[in-house]
């Protein structure tokens, strides 16, 4: 199973590399769906665990007051200063790098790469074109109770999620229905896909969103 997951991750990294090679400087500097990061900084985040030694991360953690999210943002910003072609090359060169994040492992890494790919594509108006098997694998992970740091459990509790294009479903309760890509984004906290969902649970889910 680990080898299958690593092959999926490698395919997604190569896919992001191809995408980066196709973007203009203006597109690279476009705000992504991921917080305050630009497209270029999202790419920096995806590349950083593949090319940066853990020993280089420690000073960033210290400077960030042991706030791992802040340290991660600093690191992404630093790596993103590299030319886009270099970022793409790093993703290809290290496509099969066995980076396994703590707790969430390869499932988390696969999901991270797929979600951040959409963080890039959506603002640029590019098609999702996600692989169905890899998407289903991430949806199973996100709804399986182990996606620490990916999913707000209180927000999705007591709901059933059904994909309209994958024949996939998980959970019990009022139904939230949409494409697999829309569910992927919504489960990981991207409210941009909320208007694309329907079913009795869609309004319940939207009502749990802050602001």
């Amino acid at each position: 199973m680990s080898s299958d997951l690593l092959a999926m991750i490698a395919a997604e990294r190569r896919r992001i590399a191809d995408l980066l090679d196709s973007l203009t400087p203006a597109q690279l500097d476009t705000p992504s769906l991921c917080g305050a990061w630009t497209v270029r900084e999202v790419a920096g985040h995806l590349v950083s665990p593949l090319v940066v030694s853990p020993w280089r991360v420690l000073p960033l953690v210290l400077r960030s007051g042991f706030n791992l999210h802040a340290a991660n943002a600093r690191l992404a910003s630093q790596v993103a200063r590299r030319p886009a072609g270099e970022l793409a090359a790093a993703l290809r060169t290290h496509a099969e790098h066995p980076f396994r994040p703590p707790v969430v492992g390869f499932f988390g890494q696969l999901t991270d790469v797929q979600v951040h790919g959409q963080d890039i594509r959506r603002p640029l108006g590019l098609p999702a074109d996600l692989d169905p098997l890899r998407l289903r694998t991430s949806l199973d992970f996100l709804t399986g109770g182990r996606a620490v740091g990916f999913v707000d459990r209180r927000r999705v509790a007591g709901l059933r999620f059904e994909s309209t294009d994958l024949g996939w479903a998980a959970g019990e309760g009022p139904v939230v229905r949409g494409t697999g890509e829309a569910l992927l984004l919504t489960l990981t906290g991207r409210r941009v896909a909320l208007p694309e969902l329907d079913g009795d649970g869609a309004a319940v889910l939207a009502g749990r969103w802050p602001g």
Side-chain angles (χ1 to χ4, degrees):
M1 184 61 174
S2 292
S3 60
D4 291 341
L5 282 170
L6 192 53
M8 292 182 186
I9 293 166
E12 285 297 324
R13 287 172 179 157
R14 294 185 181 108
R15 188 164 170 260
I16 296 290
D18 291 343
L19 174 61
L20 292 176
D21 279 339
S22 74
L23 300 182
T24 66
Q27 287 176 313
L28 289 164
D29 291 332
T30 298
S32 76
L33 295 184
C34 189
W37 282 354
T38 63
V39 165
R40 188 187 301 274
E41 288 167 331
V42 172
H45 163 72
L46 293 174
V47 169
S48 59
L50 312 181
V51 300
V52 177
S53 165
W55 296 109
R56 285 185 54 199
V57 178
L58 182 57
L60 292 174
V61 173
L62 294 174
R63 286 206 299 271
S64 302
F66 293 94
N67 184 320
L68 295 180
H69 291 293
N72 186 40
R74 285 174 182 264
L75 181 60
S77 180
Q78 288 182 6
V79 176
R81 294 171 190 158
R82 304 182 184 194
E86 186 176 326
L87 296 174
L91 284 168
R92 289 194 185 93
T93 300
H94 303 287
E96 297 180 5
H97 190 295
F99 171 60
R100 190 194 298 254
V103 182
V104 296
F106 285 144
F107 286 102
Q109 178 63 181
L110 174 63
T111 303
D112 195 59
V113 179
Q114 289 192 92
V115 171
H116 284 315
Q118 296 315 109
D119 286 337
I120 292 172
R121 291 184 182 90
R122 277 261 182 160
L124 297 178
L126 301 176
D129 204 24
L130 289 163
D131 177 85
L133 176 58
R134 299 197 288 265
L135 179 53
R136 286 176 64 102
T137 300
S138 284
L139 289 173
D140 284 339
F141 165 68
L142 291 170
T143 55
R146 296 177 297 163
V148 178
F150 283 86
V151 177
D152 183 332
R153 292 189 183 183
R154 292 172 297 178
R155 185 182 296 160
V156 303
L159 296 174
R160 177 174 174 81
F161 294 89
E162 295 182 356
S163 168
T164 57
D165 57 350
L166 297 175
W168 173 92
E172 299 294 335
V175 172
V176 179
R177 188 181 299 109
T179 66
E181 187 246 0
L183 294 177
L184 177 78
L185 292 176
T186 303
L187 285 165
T188 54
R190 277 74 171 165
R191 67 185 306 158
V192 66
L194 279 176
E196 301 168 26
L197 305 177
D198 60 24
D200 294 342
V204 176
L205 180 62
R208 294 175 179 176
W209 223 276

